[in-house]
């Protein structure tokens, strides 16, 4: 493509919205020699500087110079890291998800087990560890934004990269040209995120035909067993990953019309273990049955409701009725521990056409299709410490996106960049088929939490439709580059999610489970379908002012807002009929770039950023309103009740028209005081060019999150507690705290017509500060290095709590705090200069690569079993039941401990790659790769927000649970699978394994 422009009176010119690639820049003027700069690199999201001094002479004469290779670009106020194609192709990557390379940059950490990424201590999405989501019940703060070829690739329902991270990738790695990572950005053109912007550009065809064919194989036969399964004596499961595909690009009409096509497929056999150490250790004596007694054979899938009470079973544990229940309970538990088949198969294809319509017009059209199927893959953990084999249902994703992008040069100083997109993303979940699909979900809390039956989240079908339009205009006037525009995204959701329509039973003891005598029952009825739209609109104005050749300022304003409909709600409670759309989200931005010396640039800035309010929060906080859906919660802690006489007989469910649903129900709402989360970011850094294309950066980043959505259940209808609990610690000390037991807490603070009124609130605050350094050298030959070290501290309050009446006790380290993080990525392609042909043949075309990552542990909270938690029995789809951490349905803070006062172990991984290319022809070659991941087989236990570790520090012996002032004696949880027992390994950092690949390129 060829573009032309005139410099203005200040000698400044601009070519905005150029496709990434290498360019020639020619400068000419009457009476001067023509000057041409070759190999000028233009990267995504960056400004490339090109300066020329014209010599007096005839215009027919030409001076050709090579671009200096400097990536400093002193007029560029962008703060971020560009990951180029040579880096993407060269580094070892397990799974081929290109966004994993984001972890090579500073101020970025992995967030949870699902591939989320946290920028500057902010939440990575719906299943972020920040929101205490191991049980899948929390609120997302949509902190990050993703774009591909200029179009928004963010799910507004999940607040995450589209496809919801269970999927290996949406766009195939082969199709990625390069991408840019920015923890914060000071140009007002960027919106829809609090921290973290990932801008990706895909490949395009050129005037030459080019293509690739590849096959990758990763097999557990070349690897080690994970540390948790090995400690439990479980043999290594057969895990086989095959990834293959091809791409091709070239001209349709030379210089005018180009095509590119990518096809990629994954076939992954990925079995897992359901492994719960405490449940594995139980036998009949755990139920109080003497070892001398003989149990009968099991005769039902679940224990059936017995005709004797717990008191009777305690008095005579050899009662035949009880023995039969114990036999059935043991079989249900033991048969659900062990290996579970699971697959993760994916198909993706991506056609793209670029049309250089004229010297002033370029149109790009693309379509991407992805179909992901994962039988048994509803949970990605391995091993899975809480879910039974039968609980692990199926997951699938179908994603379509079509985009048209038009760039038009209006005149020598103005460019219009416009695109429109259509997105259809479908997430579906189905039961495992290992149990009756109408069976309820069962939660057994003793001796540790174990979920059986059908998961309440295994009936979901969610479709997200997005119509996008954006128009950005760039004007160059004097020393100013003005940008203004509009972004519009009409997001629509169609969701069918029955949730607890089949009921949920909670048993607090093995004895209760064997008798079929539940302690807590919950069921929802009504309409499982929920449809809504939440259009997003953003306006911005930005000015980049080049005051002097070595000082550039940028500043702007952005206004983003979403419009959610007022819910139909419940007329008996008006607050359920209103959603407070926050229209005033004015976000000022300021940045600067200053070059005090020729090879030194100081950059910095500050800005306010509003996150999107994710659709999942809206649905979960409006659907169960007592009209559209009604939730019923029943309690029965008596040990004298006959299971056959309970209000609902296990494992049955209530009829949808049961009169009990019309009584005082549990409902959800959005607090009238809820505010959209926002983040203030600021940074200062010094970039020093050490050598051509080699930049050393030293800097600091600050981030302050405000109005963050709480992950814990907050009940507007709960009355202030009046009783006390005296805790007797193992060392004899006593602590007196409010009695937060469910049996003494009462509803009715604002309405006697309802029980729980669980509200979405936004009291959360976090603070992140870091010192960081980065070395960035990305070249086509020689040593390519991206290395980053971040020293940071992240604190929080109000996000995760156990006592809704005292949020002041929630201050502590953030669940995403990671004090130290070092990452090093190196690709080395030695240049062999020997004249000896044999040596050249033997030593040429080798590539050695490595990724090394060292991450300090994350904090978690010590908790106490079944006590000290106002949210323990909150029946809500949108929040966790207190400090759950995945280990329990509602455990509170261990007396005497602080929030997040324990720290998990380090995660370290060193990956190594070796590649050899064999040239067939001048433009054809074959490549063979061998890669090993986690070379030294570090155990890499996963600990985040209490998930991956048993965080129950004490077990308690108390009264009957309904005494206003009680005494509880605490004992250390030191048994099998007790406190600090590791239960999971990090999925992004699994045990050692090798991968081999074959590739052909032309």
């Amino acid at each position: 493509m060829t573009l032309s422009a005139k410099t203005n009176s200040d000698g400044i010119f601009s070519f905005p919205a150029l496709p990434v690639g290498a360019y020639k820049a020619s400068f000419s003027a009457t009476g001067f020699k023509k000057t041409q700069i070759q190999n000028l690199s233009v990267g995504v999201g960056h400004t490339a500087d090109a300066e020329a001094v014209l010599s007096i002479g005839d215009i027919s004469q030409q001076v050709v110079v090579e671009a200096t290779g400097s990536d400093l670009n002193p007029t560029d106020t962008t703060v971020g890291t560009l990951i180029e194609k040579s880096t993407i192709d060269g580094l070892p990557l397990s799974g081929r998800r290109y966004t994993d390379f984001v972890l090579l940059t500073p101020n970025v950490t992995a967030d949870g087990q699902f591939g989320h990424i946290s920028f500057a201590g902010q939440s990575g999405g719906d299943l972020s560890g920040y929101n205490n989501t191991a049980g899948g019940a929390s609120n997302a703060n949509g902190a990050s934004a993703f774009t591909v070829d200029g179009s928004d690739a963010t799910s507004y329902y999940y607040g995450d990269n589209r496809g919801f991270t269970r999927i290996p990738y949406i766009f195939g790695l082969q199709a990625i040209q390069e991408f840019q990572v920015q923890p914060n950005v000071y140009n007002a053109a960027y919106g829809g995120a609090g921290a973290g912007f990932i801008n990706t550009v895909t490949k395009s065809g050129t005037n030459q035909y080019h293509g690739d064919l590849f096959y990758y194989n990763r097999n557990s036969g070349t690897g080690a067993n994970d540390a948790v399964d090995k400690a439990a004596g479980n043999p290594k499961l057969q895990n086989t990953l095959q990834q293959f595909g091809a791409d091709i690009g070239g001209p349709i009409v030379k210089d005018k019309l180009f095509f590119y096509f990518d096809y990629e497929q994954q076939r992954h056999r990925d079995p897992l273990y359901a492994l719960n150490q405490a449940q594995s250790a139980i036998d009949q004596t755990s139920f109080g049955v003497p070892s001398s007694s003989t149990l009968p054979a099991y005769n039902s899938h679940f224990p059936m409701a017995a005709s004797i009470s717990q008191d009777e079973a305690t008095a005579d544990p050899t009662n035949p009725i009880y023995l039969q229940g114990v036999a059935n309970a043991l079989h249900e538990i033991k048969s659900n521990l062990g290996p579970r088949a699971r697959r993760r198969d994916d198909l993706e294809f991506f056609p793209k056409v670029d049309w250089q319509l004229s010297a002033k017009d370029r149109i790009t059209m693309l379509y991407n299709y992805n179909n992901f199927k994962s039988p048994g893959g509803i949970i990605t953990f391995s091993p899975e410490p809480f879910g039974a084999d039968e609980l692990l249902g199926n997951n699938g994703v179908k994603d379509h996106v079509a985009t048209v992008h038009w760039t038009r040069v209006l005149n020598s100083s103005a460019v219009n960049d416009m695109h429109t997109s259509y997105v259809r993303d479908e997430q579906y979940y189905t039961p495992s088929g290992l149990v009756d699909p109408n069976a309820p979900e069962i939660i057994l809390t003793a001796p540790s939490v174990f979920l059986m039956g059908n998961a309440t989240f295994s009936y979901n079908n969610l479709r997200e439709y997005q119509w996008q339009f954006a128009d950005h205009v760039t004007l160059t006037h004097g020393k100013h580059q003005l940008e203004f525009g509009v972004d519009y995204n009409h997001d629509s959701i169609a969701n069918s999610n029955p949730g607890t329509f089949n009921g949920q039973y909670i048993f607090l003891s093995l004895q209760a489970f064997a008798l079929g005598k539940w302690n807590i029952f919950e069921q929802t009825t009504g309409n499982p379908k929920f449809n809504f739209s939440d259009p997003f609109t953003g306006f911005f104005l930005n000015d980049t002012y080049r005051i002097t050749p070595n000082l550039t300022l940028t500043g702007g304003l952005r206004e983003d807002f979403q419009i959610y409909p007022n819910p139909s709600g419940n007329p008996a409670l008006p607050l359920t009929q209103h959603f407070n759309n926050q229209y005033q989200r004015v976000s000022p931005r300021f940045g600067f770039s200053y070059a005090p010396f020729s090879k030194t640039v100081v950059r910095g800035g500050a800005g306010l950023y509003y996150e999107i309010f994710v659709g999942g929060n809206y649905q979960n906080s409006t659907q169960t309103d007592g009209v559209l859906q009604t939730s019923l919660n029943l309690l029965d802690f008596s040990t004298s009740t006959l299971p056959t006489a309970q209000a609902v007989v296990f494992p049955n469910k209530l009829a949808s028209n049961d009169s009990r649903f019309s009584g005082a129900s549990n409902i959800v709402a959005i607090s009238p005081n809820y505010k959209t989360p926002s983040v203030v970011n600021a940074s200062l850094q010094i970039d020093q060019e050490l050598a051509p294309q080699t930049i050393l950066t030293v800097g600091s980043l600050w981030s302050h999150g405000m109005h963050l959505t709480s992950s814990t259940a907050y009940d507007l209808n709960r009355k202030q507690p009046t009783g006390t609990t005296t805790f007797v610690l193992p060392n004899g000390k006593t602590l007196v705290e409010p009695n937060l037991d469910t049996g003494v807490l009462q509803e009715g603070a604002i309405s006697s017509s309802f029980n729980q009124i669980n509200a979405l609130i936004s009291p959360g605050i976090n603070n992140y500060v870091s010192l960081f350094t980065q070395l960035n050298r990305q070249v086509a030959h020689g040593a390519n290095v991206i290395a980053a070290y971040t020293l940071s501290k992240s604190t929080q309050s109000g996000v995760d709590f156990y006592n809704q009446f005292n949020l002041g006790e929630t201050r502590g380290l953030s669940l995403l705090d990671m004090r130290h993080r070092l990452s090093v990525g190196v690709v080395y392609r030695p240049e062999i200069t020997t004249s000896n042909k044999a040596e050249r043949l033997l030593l040429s075309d080798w590539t050695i690569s490595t990724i090394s990552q060292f991450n300090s542990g994350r904090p978690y909270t010590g908790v106490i079993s079944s006590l000290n938690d106002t949210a323990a029995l909150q029946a809500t789809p949108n929040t966790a039941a207190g400090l759950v951490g995945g280990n329990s349905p509602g455990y509170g803070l261990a007396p005497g401990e602080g929030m997040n006062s324990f720290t998990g172990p380090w995660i370290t991984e060193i990956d190594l790659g070796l590649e050899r290319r064999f040239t067939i022809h001048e433009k054809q070659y074959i490549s063979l790769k061998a890669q090993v991941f986690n070379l030294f087989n570090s155990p890499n236990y996963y600990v985040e927000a209490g998930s991956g570790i048993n965080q129950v520090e004490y077990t308690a012996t108390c009264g009957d649970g309904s005494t206003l002032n009680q005494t509880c004696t605490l004992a250390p949880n030191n048994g099998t699978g007790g406190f600090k027992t590791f239960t999971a390994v990090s999925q992004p950092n699994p045990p050692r394994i090798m991968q081999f690949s074959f590739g052909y390129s032309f």
Side-chain angles (χ1 to χ4, degrees), residues 901-957:
S901 56
F902 296 92
T903 304
W906 281 60
I907 290 180
T908 63
E909 180 172 346
I910 297 176
D911 304 333
L912 187 64
L914 184 65
E915 177 185 3
R916 177 69 195 273
R917 291 186 177 182
F918 300 90
T919 301
I920 302 173
H921 187 265
E922 181 182 357
K923 295 182 180 180
Q924 297 183 54
Y925 63 86
I926 291 173
S927 64
L928 300 178
K929 292 182 181 181
Q931 300 170 335
V932 57
F933 304 102
N934 196 359
L935 178 64
F936 298 106
N937 200 34
S938 300
N940 291 338
Y941 296 108
Y942 171 76
V943 177
E944 186 172 334
S947 183
I949 194 169
N950 190 334
Q951 66 180 129
V952 180
E953 186 176 1
Y954 301 121
T955 58
T957 302

Side-chain angles (χ1 to χ4, degrees), residues 497-692:
N497 183 11
T500 57
F501 276 40
N502 285 333
Q504 180 189 75
Y505 289 90
I506 298 178
F507 298 89
L508 301 183
S509 70
L510 288 171
Q511 183 192 64
F513 181 51
L515 293 170
K517 193 271 173 186
W518 51 265
N519 301 109
I520 305 163
F521 172 79
E522 180 187 347
Q523 186 180 334
T524 302
T525 189
N527 186 357
K529 296 182 179 180
F530 194 79
N531 302 336
F532 63 93
S533 297
D534 54 307
F536 170 93
T537 306
F539 302 94
F540 71 92
L541 173 65
N542 197 83
D543 180 20
T544 300
Y545 179 27
R546 190 174 179 181
I547 298 178
T548 66
N550 62 345
L551 176 61
T552 301
L553 303 180
T554 189
L557 288 174
R558 183 176 184 91
E559 163 70 18
D560 289 337
F561 58 87
Q562 291 170 278
I563 302 175
Y564 277 91
N566 282 325
S568 56
N570 192 322
L573 193 65
L575 70 86
T576 64
Q577 297 180 298
H578 180 70
F579 178 78
N580 184 25
N581 284 298
Q582 190 173 342
Y583 294 103
Q584 295 182 355
R585 301 188 194 177
V586 178
S587 306
R589 313 275 176 84
F590 168 78
F592 72 91
S593 177
Y594 174 60
F597 311 107
S598 62
K599 295 185 178 182
T600 304
V601 176
V602 181
R603 304 181 213 268
L608 174 63
Y609 306 80
Y610 280 92
E611 301 178 357
I612 60 171
F613 178 72
V614 297
N617 285 350
Y618 177 82
Q619 177 179 350
N620 292 332
S621 301
T622 57
Q623 188 173 14
T624 308
D625 58 8
V627 178
L628 288 175
Q629 287 189 3
T630 301
S631 174
L632 178 67
N633 188 254
L634 303 175
L635 310 177
D636 188 344
F637 300 107
S638 172
T639 56
S640 62
T641 304
L642 288 178
T644 54
Q646 288 190 280
V648 184
V649 178
F650 176 76
N652 299 313
K653 63 180 179 181
L654 296 174
S656 60
N657 60 353
D658 192 286
S659 60
R660 280 168 285 192
F661 285 113
S662 61
S665 62
N666 304 313
I667 64 173
V668 296
I670 298 175
S671 170
N673 299 319
Y674 183 90
K675 293 186 177 180
T676 303
S678 59
V679 183
V680 175
N681 291 314
S683 68
L684 180 66
Q685 66 183 54
I686 301 174
D687 297 333
Q688 178 68 43
E689 184 179 62
L690 304 180

Side-chain angles (χ1 to χ4, degrees), residues 69-407:
S70 173
D71 291 327
L72 275 178
N73 294 329
T75 65
D76 188 2
T77 59
T78 302
V79 178
T81 303
L82 181 67
I83 310 293
E84 299 179 2
K85 185 61 178 174
S86 59
T87 302
I88 295 172
D89 289 342
L91 288 172
L93 179 63
S94 178
R96 295 178 58 80
R97 175 157 51 191
Y98 75 91
T99 52
D100 289 349
F101 287 141
V102 173
L103 296 174
L104 293 174
T105 64
N107 298 297
V108 176
T109 65
D111 181 4
Q113 292 279 60
F114 296 89
H116 285 310
I117 298 168
S118 168
F119 290 86
Q122 300 299 327
S123 162
D126 189 69
L127 288 184
S128 164
Y130 189 94
N131 297 315
N132 218 348
T133 60
S138 76
N139 301 310
N141 290 287
S144 303
F146 302 82
T147 61
V148 176
D149 289 332
S151 294
D152 195 342
T154 309
S155 167
Y156 282 29
Y157 187 85
Y158 291 114
D160 181 31
N161 199 4
R162 223 173 50 249
F164 192 42
T165 63
R166 283 189 175 94
I167 195 170
Y169 43 74
I170 285 290
F171 290 84
L173 178 69
Q174 201 68 25
I176 304 304
Q177 179 66 33
E178 63 185 36
F179 64 96
Q180 179 196 40
V181 182
Q182 299 181 90
N184 47 20
V185 58
Y186 302 124
N187 189 312
Y190 293 83
F197 298 84
I198 300 177
N199 306 319
T200 302
V201 173
T202 60
K203 290 180 180 178
S204 292
T206 65
N207 274 329
Q208 294 184 336
Y209 289 102
H210 176 81
D212 303 275
L213 182 148
F214 65 89
Y215 173 79
Y216 284 79
N217 186 289
R218 193 184 72 197
N219 192 297
S220 58
T222 65
N225 200 359
D226 71 79
V228 175
D229 280 324
K230 183 178 179 181
N234 292 329
K236 181 175 59 177
L237 295 173
Q238 180 63 42
N239 187 308
T240 305
L241 171 65
Q242 300 179 87
Q243 294 178 309
F244 47 90
D247 71 337
I248 186 170
I252 300 174
V253 178
K254 188 177 180 181
D255 295 331
K256 286 288 186 180
L257 193 61
F258 311 92
F259 79 95
Y260 176 79
F261 181 81
D262 178 50
Y263 151 74
E264 301 193 29
Q265 192 161 357
Q266 171 177 296
R267 300 285 294 169
H268 191 186
R269 179 184 178 185
D270 185 30
L272 76 159
Y273 279 106
L275 175 60
N276 187 305
Q277 296 183 39
Q279 297 291 353
S280 297
I282 66 171
D283 57 24
Q284 64 190 58
T285 63
S286 307
F287 293 78
V289 176
S291 58
S292 58
S293 298
T294 301
L295 295 180
Y298 77 94
N299 62 7
S300 67
H301 190 97
F302 300 126
M304 303 303 293
S307 57
I308 64 171
S309 67
Q310 288 183 257
D311 290 339
E312 291 175 279
T314 301
D316 181 11
T318 62
N319 186 306
I321 296 176
Y322 184 52
L323 294 180
Q324 184 63 65
V326 171
N328 292 338
L330 276 172
H331 178 265
E332 168 64 6
I333 294 169
K334 298 290 188 176
S335 65
N336 271 295
L337 293 168
R340 167 77 165 95
R342 178 174 62 181
R343 293 197 63 86
R344 303 182 72 246
D345 299 332
D346 192 72
L347 170 66
E348 179 267 350
F349 58 81
F350 172 73
K352 180 179 181 181
V353 174
D354 293 281
W355 185 12
Q356 191 66 45
L357 189 61
S358 69
K360 293 186 176 183
D361 295 277
R362 183 179 180 88
I363 296 176
T364 296
M365 295 170 285
L366 63 88
Y367 170 74
N368 191 81
Y369 170 79
N370 197 299
N371 188 0
F372 173 68
K373 297 179 180 179
S374 184
I378 200 167
I379 291 178
T380 62
F381 284 50
S382 181
E384 164 52 38
F386 308 115
D389 282 344
E390 66 188 20
L391 186 93
L392 306 180
N394 312 309
N395 171 232
V397 177
K398 291 182 181 179
D399 185 86
H400 308 257
V401 57
T403 297
V404 177
H405 189 173
W406 178 23
T407 302

Side-chain angles (χ1 to χ4, degrees), residues 21-91:
Y23 290 82
K24 295 178 183 178
S26 297
F27 303 84
S28 61
T30 302
F32 294 87
K33 296 178 182 179
K34 184 177 181 180
T35 297
Q36 184 180 90
I37 301 177
Q38 295 184 335
N39 295 321
L40 186 65
S41 180
V42 174
V44 57
H46 281 276
T47 299
D49 293 331
E51 296 185 354
V53 177
L54 302 187
S55 302
I56 296 175
D58 195 289
I59 194 171
S60 63
Q61 296 177 294
Q62 179 170 290
V63 178
V64 179
V65 297
E66 193 77 12
T68 62
S70 173
D71 291 327
L72 275 178
N73 294 329
T75 65
D76 188 2
T77 59
T78 302
V79 178
T81 303
L82 181 67
I83 310 293
E84 299 179 2
K85 185 61 178 174
S86 59
T87 302
I88 295 172
D89 289 342
L91 288 172

